[in-house]
Amino acid sequence: MISALPRSEFPLLAASPRLAYLDSAATTQKPRAVLDAICDFYENDNANPHRGAYALSVRATERYHEARARVAAFLGVGDPDCLIFTRGTTESLNLVASSWGRANVGAGDEIVVTGAEHHANFVPWQQLAIEKNARLRICELAPDGALDLDRLRALLGSRTKVVAFAHVSNVLGTIAPVRDIVELAHRVGAIAVCDGAQAAPHLTVRFDELGVDFFAASGHKMLGPMGIGVLVGRRRLLEAMPPFLTGGDMIEFVEDDHSTWNRLPHKFEAGTPNAAGAVGMAAAAAVLEGVGMDAVRAHERELVRSAYRRLSAIEGVRIYGPGPADRSGVLSFNVGDVHPHDLATILDSHHVCIRAGHHCAQPLMRRLGVSATARASFYVYNDDADIDALVNGVMAAREMFSRVGA
Amino acid sequence: MSAPDDRKDAPNGTDSRRSHVEALYQELILDHYRRPRNRGTLEHPDVALRKKNPLCGDVIDLQLQFDGDTLREVRFTGEGCAISQAAASMLTQRLKGKSTAEAAQILDRFARMVHGEEGAADESLGDLRALSGVSRLPVRHPCALLASDALAEALASHR
C-alpha cells in the first residue's frame, strides 16, 4: 500500500523520512499547496476583508469569499452563506449550544448525546443543561461501540430538543448512521447536531443530503491550517438565532441603546476573520478533491485493514470498537499491561507518533472500562512502512515489558 | 510494495533516543511497576490525600501514619503508567522510617533530578536514581512527579 498523496508533497514528512506520523485524528500534516496558499494570501492579497474601499482590501474580501464558496462546495453546501467560518469544531459546537441552545432549550427539556462524544460535543451540552435546568441524556453504545438506534429511539420524546452526535468517533472510528439519527430526531421535533470533525477529512460529506441541522468541522484535521473551521446550519435556524459573539463586522447599525445584526454569514463572524486560514482550508479541500474522497476512503480502509490484522495478531493486543470494515482510519488499542503512555514513549523512540490518553472522550473511556488507550490514526500520506514501524514498535514494547514477569 | 530504504528503521543501538528509552525501562523499574511495594491502604492513617494528573488522568491515593515526627507507614493505591507507579513504589519505600525533614529533603532532591538538575541525584536517592532518565522526556515529568508531589503535600500537612 503506497500513500494516496506522496510524502514529498508534505514538507515536514519529506524532511523526516523515518517519521511514521500516525496521529492524524489529532491534526494532519500540511501539504505544500496549503502552505503556499496561506503564504500567497499574505504576500499578495493581505488587507482586512470587508473594511477598506481600496483595491487591495477588495481583493482580500474576494479571496475570503472564494474560500467560503470552495469549502461549501467541498461539504455539499448549496447555500454558502450558511457556512460560518469559526476557529474550529469546538467553537462551532459551542456556537450552536450557546446561541441556538440558550434561545430554545428550557427547564425540563432534554438534550441527547451519545456515550462516544468528544468533549467538544459533550461539555457544551452538559453546561447548557445545567444552566437551563434541562436534562442531559446519554445514549449508551452497542457492545462493539456502534450507535444503538433502538436505544436512541427509546430515549427520544416530546421533551427532546437536541440530538448531538459524532459522524465519526475520534476514538473508535465508528461511522454513525446519520440519516437514521436525523429521522428519529426530526420525528420528535428535535434538531440534529453533527460533529463532523472526523468525517469531513475522511468521507464524502454532502451537507444538503445528510439532513442534519448543524454540521461542524475543522480545517486542521483535513490538511488545512489550525485555527479555522466551519459551522454549517440551516438558513431558517441561523436567521432566527441570536448572535454568538458581538463586535465588528457582525452588526448592521449600532445605536446608543441597541444594535441590529448583519446578514448571514457575517452575523456569526464577529471581528476580523481568519482569512488566510480560510484560504488555507479551501486549498486543503482542493487537494482532497484532487485525490478524490472515494480514493481517500479506500486508501484508509486498506491501511486500517492491514494494521488491524497485524496488530491483533500480536499477543496481548486488544483493539476497541468494530472490525476494520466498519470504521474510519482510527484504531484504539492496548497492549497487555503496558500503559498507553509508556507505549507512546517507546514508540516515539522508534519514530512512531501515536496518541495516548483519553482522547478528549472521558465518558467513552469510562464506558470502555479503561483510563486510557493508545490510538493510531491514518491519512492520505501513510503507507505500509508506517504500519511496519507501528507493528515493530509495539512488539519491541511488549518484549521490553516481558523481561519482568507479572 | 516495500518501504524505500530511507524510510526503514535503523538497527537497534544506533539511535540515542531509543537506547535512552530502553535504559529507562530497565528491570528495576518494571519490577516496581509489576510488583509495587507499599500498595494498599492503612486502617488508621494520620493523613490521607488524593492527587490527580489531569493531563493523563492518573490518580494516586496516599495514606500516611506517623510516629511523632517519623513517617512510620505509608501506602498508596492508584492507576498509572510504569513511571508513575514505579516512582510511587520506590518513593514510599525510600521515605518510610525517615523524619519529615529528611523525607522532604529527599523529595526535593528527587524533583530536581527529574527536572534534570546536574548533581541532584546523590546517594540519598538510592534506587530512585533509576528514574533519572525521565529528565530527558519532558512530557513524562508529570508521571514521575505525581507521587512525589502528593507525598510532599501530605508531609507538609502533618508538620
Side-chain angles (χ1 to χ4, degrees):
Chain A
M1 191 75 203
I2 56 166
S3 62
L5 264 179
R7 286 173 69 98
S8 57
E9 290 193 22
F10 295 82
L12 186 145
L13 297 176
S16 308
R18 286 167 66 197
L19 191 73
Y21 185 77
L22 296 174
D23 197 19
S24 295
T27 198
T28 57
Q29 295 303 331
K30 319 305 175 196
R32 170 62 68 201
V34 167
L35 302 174
D36 285 350
I38 296 166
C39 208
D40 178 69
F41 174 82
Y42 280 125
E43 285 182 354
N44 296 302
D45 298 321
N46 179 57
N48 203 323
H50 310 135
R51 299 292 204 284
Y54 48 92
L56 184 61
S57 171
V58 172
R59 264 204 327 271
T61 308
E62 278 168 2
R63 293 287 305 270
Y64 185 52
H65 286 187
E66 277 164 25
R68 190 188 312 276
R70 181 104 227 193
V71 176
F74 177 74
L75 295 174
V77 182
D79 184 353
D81 289 345
C82 292
L83 184 144
I84 318 292
F85 278 118
T86 63
R87 282 193 298 136
T89 303
T90 297
E91 184 177 294
S92 298
L93 294 167
N94 273 277
L95 192 164
V96 180
S98 172
S99 174
W100 190 91
R102 284 207 178 110
N104 291 281
V105 174
D109 285 340
E110 297 187 351
I111 301 164
V112 175
V113 297
T114 84
E117 297 313 308
H118 187 285
H119 294 161
N121 201 27
F122 190 94
V123 183
W125 302 114
Q126 178 192 60
Q127 294 305 304
L128 176 67
I130 291 169
E131 182 186 317
K132 293 290 185 175
N133 252 323
R135 186 172 172 206
L136 182 73
R137 304 197 69 179
I138 301 169
C139 184
E140 299 300 336
L141 306 167
D144 69 349
L147 194 133
D148 187 333
L149 281 172
D150 289 331
R151 279 206 180 113
L152 181 65
R153 189 178 294 114
L155 267 186
L156 302 186
S158 58
R159 317 226 66 160
T160 313
K161 287 286 188 282
V162 181
V163 178
F165 63 97
H167 193 163
V168 173
S169 157
N170 70 312
V171 177
L172 302 174
T174 42
I175 302 167
V178 179
R179 289 163 158 287
D180 295 331
I181 297 168
V182 168
E183 199 193 312
L184 290 178
H186 286 173
R187 202 181 289 169
V188 297
I191 61 161
V193 180
C194 185
D195 169 359
Q198 302 291 343
H202 306 286
L203 307 174
T204 302
V205 170
R206 313 307 301 163
F207 172 80
D208 291 346
E209 291 161 30
L210 279 177
V212 295
D213 297 288
F214 292 101
F215 183 91
S218 296
H220 74 98
K221 293 192 198 288
M222 47 172 273
L223 306 180
M226 294 180 180
I228 189 79
V230 299
L231 173 70
V232 187
R234 303 255 156 242
R235 178 174 277 277
R236 179 176 54 82
L237 297 174
L238 289 170
E239 282 180 342
M241 281 156 61
F244 176 49
L245 301 173
T246 55
D249 232 25
M250 56 74 63
I251 46 80
E252 184 186 37
F253 295 108
V254 177
E255 310 296 346
D256 279 1
D257 58 354
H258 77 282
S259 299
T260 55
W261 315 132
N262 201 340
R263 61 182 177 81
L264 292 175
H266 313 292
K267 174 179 156 186
F268 291 104
E269 295 184 353
T272 297
N274 181 0
V279 165
M281 186 172 180
V287 170
L288 288 171
E289 279 165 352
V291 179
M293 290 311 289
D294 288 343
V296 171
R297 171 87 177 115
H299 176 69
E300 286 175 20
R301 279 182 101 120
E302 281 302 306
L303 289 171
V304 161
R305 197 188 339 234
S306 168
Y308 194 100
R309 181 176 53 77
R310 294 178 64 185
L311 281 178
S312 52
I314 300 171
E315 203 191 321
V317 169
R318 176 168 179 206
I319 299 175
Y320 301 94
D326 300 316
R327 62 164 80 215
S328 178
V330 183
L331 281 181
S332 279
F333 61 99
N334 271 315
V335 183
D337 73 342
V338 183
H339 193 280
H341 286 118
D342 296 316
L343 182 65
T345 294
I346 295 163
L347 284 175
D348 184 40
S349 77
H350 287 247
H351 310 283
V352 179
C353 308
I354 61 151
R355 177 85 183 263
H358 53 60
H359 318 295
C360 298
Q362 288 175 9
L364 177 57
M365 293 294 116
R366 281 196 295 280
R367 283 159 176 83
L368 295 174
V370 295
S371 60
T373 72
R375 180 186 73 184
S377 50
F378 306 96
Y379 210 27
V380 287
Y381 32 70
N382 291 122
D383 58 17
D384 280 335
D386 296 317
I387 300 178
D388 290 346
L390 172 68
V391 169
N392 289 340
V394 167
M395 293 205 293
R398 241 198 107 251
E399 209 167 291
M400 206 182 270
F401 271 65
S402 68
R403 286 178 312 188
V404 176
Chain B
M1 151 125 191
S2 64
D5 274 347
D6 65 349
R7 297 224 48 213
K8 283 189 179 140
D9 227 344
N12 279 1
T14 60
D15 190 310
S16 73
R17 191 154 49 137
R18 184 171 312 170
S19 51
H20 179 73
V21 166
E22 277 166 4
L24 174 63
Y25 287 96
Q26 58 185 272
E27 286 174 24
L28 181 65
I29 286 173
L30 294 176
D31 183 61
H32 275 272
Y33 175 53
R34 289 269 166 73
R35 281 183 285 273
R37 325 299 196 258
N38 303 313
R39 197 178 163 84
T41 52
L42 295 172
E43 237 173 82
H44 304 290
D46 296 311
V47 178
L49 188 141
R50 162 171 286 201
K51 205 161 177 73
K52 289 186 186 184
N53 176 357
L55 284 177
C56 64
D58 283 0
V59 182
I60 185 166
D61 277 296
L62 266 184
Q63 298 193 323
L64 296 83
Q65 215 167 25
F66 292 91
D67 197 349
D69 186 51
T70 304
L71 179 60
R72 189 152 60 90
E73 265 305 340
V74 52
R75 294 268 195 281
F76 78 97
T77 54
E79 297 291 323
C81 61
I83 291 169
S84 77
Q85 297 302 293
S89 173
M90 295 163 95
L91 280 163
T92 52
Q93 206 177 25
R94 192 78 198 154
L95 297 194
K96 216 191 281 189
K98 299 277 191 296
S99 72
T100 52
E102 286 169 329
Q105 233 165 35
I106 291 170
L107 290 172
D108 176 62
R109 206 163 252 291
F110 176 76
R112 287 193 279 130
M113 175 187 82
V114 169
H115 285 125
E117 188 183 308
E118 219 165 310
D122 73 357
E123 274 174 16
S124 71
L125 292 183
D127 282 354
L128 285 165
R129 283 175 291 186
L131 284 162
S132 65
V134 177
S135 67
R136 284 169 60 182
L137 301 169
V139 294
R140 306 303 302 277
H141 288 184
C143 312
L145 294 172
L146 180 65
S148 65
D149 287 352
L151 282 161
E153 222 175 290
L155 287 173
S157 75
H158 177 68
R159 271 192 283 184

